[in-house]
């Protein structure tokens, strides 16, 4: 088996047999010539159903997650929508993390609930709470680990077993960890979901999503639904994502180095109330994260003693950390979840602390990042 970076650079990306091009070409063609009726060359017919650039990305992502099948989408939410349709029917129940990604919560609460799907938010770090939430109608446990934005950790091997005992599937949204830091299928998960917009693409220049699974029947259903509903990424988007993923391992190492250093600095800072980073020994999920992740990731959240006003001042004062939503790119970002990414969960059980600041620590020189944050924290 080739190593992670060998797969990132080569899986699904053989040099072009006609021209010898070393990088995967962008194939914008919407349709493909048939040699006689039904005589397809290489299986391509129409680009909603399949496209060679998209196929290359899918093969690469499947190899990186250690799955048999990957399906790429135009966004992480497009992938989530198709995955939920593939697994759930009216009357079914799903367990979601109590601090689920806001868009996932909105999709289930505002779209699927209208079709008769019920849900229970649970702290998946609490296995007894998960067991209590399961019923014969539960078809799916949706998990994120680390979670967004509280960086909670769930034990994937344990929750997979609990879900399976109840006859439910386990999906892991692996966006925060990336396949470099964590491979949920090997730990017992049935499906991995990505917003490839984040670490996989890694350069904040493309929106995309993916589903990876080794379940043949489920993969077939997902491909059918994708073609039936038309939720496909364009070939240029697939190509940009493929270009980004080649450097995933080196980028993640640097994200982790920088995040560890910033978490230490914040922990010692007098304006900071609490630092949430799974790499810190006092984080409640630290030991589980150490067991199932290669390192602890590039996301760091913290609360301020001065409440939301202080948090707003810090977010407004950084210069290198750009005030923006999203995460996982080479550049450092700062945001206030309660007023930005997680507005859609305000007033629900998923509400986040109002002084919480979330950092997506980029791969700039860490001394510059530390200095920028120190200067901003002086305004807290
Ligand atoms: C961004 C994100 C999504 C949604 O992905 P899009 O590409 O924005 O549609 C889902 N889950 C997590 C954890 C995310 O961060």
């Amino acid at each position: 088996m080739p190593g992670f970076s060998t797969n990132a650079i080569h899986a699904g990306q053989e040099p072009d047999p006609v021209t010898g091009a070393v990088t995967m070409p962008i194939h914008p063609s919407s349709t493909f010539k048939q040699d006689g009726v039904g005589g397809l060359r290489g299986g391509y017919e129409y680009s909603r159903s399949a496209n060679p650039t998209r196929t290359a990305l899918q093969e690469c992502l499947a190899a990186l997650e250690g799955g048999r099948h990957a399906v790429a989408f135009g966004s992480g939410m497009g992938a989530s929508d198709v995955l939920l349709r593939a697994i759930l029917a009216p009357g079914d129940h799903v367990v979601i993390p109590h601090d689920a990604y806001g868009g996932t919560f909105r999709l289930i609460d505002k779209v699927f609930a209208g079709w008769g799907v019920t849900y229970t938010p649970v702290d998946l770090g609490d296995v007894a709470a998960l067991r209590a939430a399961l019923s014969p109608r539960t078809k799916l446990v949706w998990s994120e680990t680390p979670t967004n934005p509280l960086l909670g950790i769930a034990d994937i091997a344990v929750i997979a077993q609990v879900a399976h005992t109840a006859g439910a599937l386990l999906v892991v949204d692996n966006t925060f960890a990336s396949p470099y830091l964590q491979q949920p299928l090997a730990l017992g998960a049935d499906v991995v979901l990505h917003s490839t917009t984040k670490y996989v693409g890694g350069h904040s220049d493309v929106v995309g999503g993916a589903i990876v699974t080794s379940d043949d029947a489920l993969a077939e259903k997902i491909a059918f639904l994708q073609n039936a509903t038309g939720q496909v990424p364009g070939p240029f988007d697939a190509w940009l994502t493929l270009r980004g993923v080649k450097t995933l391992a080196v980028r993640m190492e640097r994200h982790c180095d920088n995040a560890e250093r910033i978490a230490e600095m914040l922990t010692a800072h007098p304006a900071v109330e609490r630092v949430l980073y799974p790499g810190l020994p006092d984080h409640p999920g630290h030991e589980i994260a150490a067991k199932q992740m290669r390192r602890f990731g590039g996301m760091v959240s913290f609360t301020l003693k001065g409440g939301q006003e202080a948090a707003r001042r810090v977010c407004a004062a950084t210069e290198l950390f750009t005030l923006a939503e999203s995460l996982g790119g080479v550049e450092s970002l700062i945001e206030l979840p309660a007023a930005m990414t997680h507005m859609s969960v305000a007033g629900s059980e998923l509400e986040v602390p109002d002084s919480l600041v979330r950092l997506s620590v980029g791969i700039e020189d860490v001394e510059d990042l530390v200095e920028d944050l120190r200067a901003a924290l002086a305004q807290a």
Side-chain angles (χ1 to χ4, degrees):
M1 271 273 284
F4 187 90
S5 282
T6 305
N7 275 332
I9 293 164
H10 296 288
Q13 305 167 73
E14 289 298 310
D16 184 67
V18 177
T19 63
V22 167
T23 54
M24 185 66 207
I26 303 167
H27 288 281
S29 200
S30 59
T31 189
F32 298 85
K33 178 183 190 307
Q34 305 195 4
D35 296 321
V37 176
L40 306 184
R41 304 179 183 184
Y44 297 102
E45 166 179 42
Y46 182 63
S47 277
R48 170 159 40 74
S49 315
N51 171 279
T53 314
R54 192 164 102 218
T55 300
L57 172 62
Q58 293 177 161
E59 288 180 6
C60 183
L61 293 177
L64 296 183
E65 284 289 0
R68 271 206 295 277
H69 314 278
V71 183
F73 289 83
S75 71
M77 292 321 303
S80 304
D81 180 45
V82 165
L83 184 56
L84 291 168
R85 287 175 201 252
I87 295 173
L88 300 174
D92 289 345
H93 172 254
V94 50
V95 172
I96 62 170
H98 71 143
D99 58 345
Y101 173 71
T104 306
F105 171 70
R106 182 175 54 202
L107 179 63
I108 291 169
D109 180 60
K110 295 283 191 292
V111 181
F112 280 83
W115 292 95
V117 167
T118 58
Y119 68 89
T120 309
V122 168
D123 173 359
L124 294 173
D126 180 348
V127 177
L130 170 59
R131 276 208 185 89
L134 296 169
S135 82
R137 295 183 148 194
T138 311
K139 291 290 168 354
L140 177 65
V141 174
W142 185 286
S143 69
E144 290 175 36
T145 180
T147 60
N148 176 13
L150 296 178
L151 298 162
I153 300 291
D155 188 325
I156 296 172
V158 169
I159 63 173
Q161 211 172 29
V162 172
H164 293 160
T165 307
L169 297 179
L170 176 68
V171 173
V172 177
D173 179 337
N174 205 26
T175 299
F176 265 42
S178 90
Y180 179 68
L181 297 180
Q182 175 172 281
Q183 293 174 320
L185 297 180
L187 296 166
D190 302 283
V191 185
V192 168
L193 180 123
H194 278 285
S195 167
T196 56
T197 313
K198 316 294 170 53
Y199 288 105
V200 170
H203 295 74
S204 306
D205 53 9
V206 57
V207 171
I211 298 170
V212 187
T213 183
S214 290
D215 180 330
D216 298 338
L218 183 62
E220 201 173 313
K221 203 162 176 194
I222 288 164
F224 169 80
L225 284 169
Q226 175 177 55
N227 187 46
T229 64
Q231 307 197 51
V232 295
F236 183 60
D237 289 359
W239 182 85
L240 269 175
T241 307
L242 197 54
R243 182 167 100 149
V245 82
K246 288 174 196 279
T247 54
L248 182 61
V250 289
R251 283 188 283 109
M252 290 315 294
E253 289 289 348
R254 180 69 170 259
H255 282 295
C256 293
D257 288 345
N258 289 0
E260 284 171 15
R261 177 70 198 291
I262 282 167
E264 267 170 39
M265 184 276 273
L266 291 170
T267 303
H269 199 285
V272 172
E273 181 185 52
R274 190 154 169 236
V275 182
L276 304 171
Y277 184 64
L280 294 172
D282 70 347
H283 186 285
H286 177 68
E287 275 170 35
I288 293 163
K291 183 182 71 173
Q292 69 190 13
M293 297 175 77
R294 195 195 293 256
R295 293 186 69 183
F296 303 101
M299 300 300 296
V300 180
S301 293
F302 60 98
T303 54
L304 285 157
K305 288 178 186 159
Q308 190 173 93
E309 284 315 307
R312 282 181 183 265
R313 285 194 295 273
V314 171
C315 289
T318 55
E319 286 178 5
L320 209 45
F321 278 85
T322 303
L323 180 60
E325 300 194 355
S326 199
L327 60 113
V330 292
E331 63 287 298
S332 292
L333 303 178
I334 188 167
E335 68 120 359
L336 191 65
M340 295 172 64
T341 48
H342 288 65
M343 282 259 275
S344 60
V345 298
S348 77
E349 286 170 80
L350 287 81
E351 196 166 75
V352 297
D354 67 354
S355 80
L356 189 79
V357 174
R358 190 188 77 179
L359 303 176
S360 173
V361 180
I363 65 172
E364 300 96 335
D365 292 293
V366 73
E367 292 307 328
D368 295 333
L369 296 177
V370 166
E371 199 178 306
D372 187 41
L373 274 181
R374 268 195 217 288
L377 284 165
Q379 314 283 316

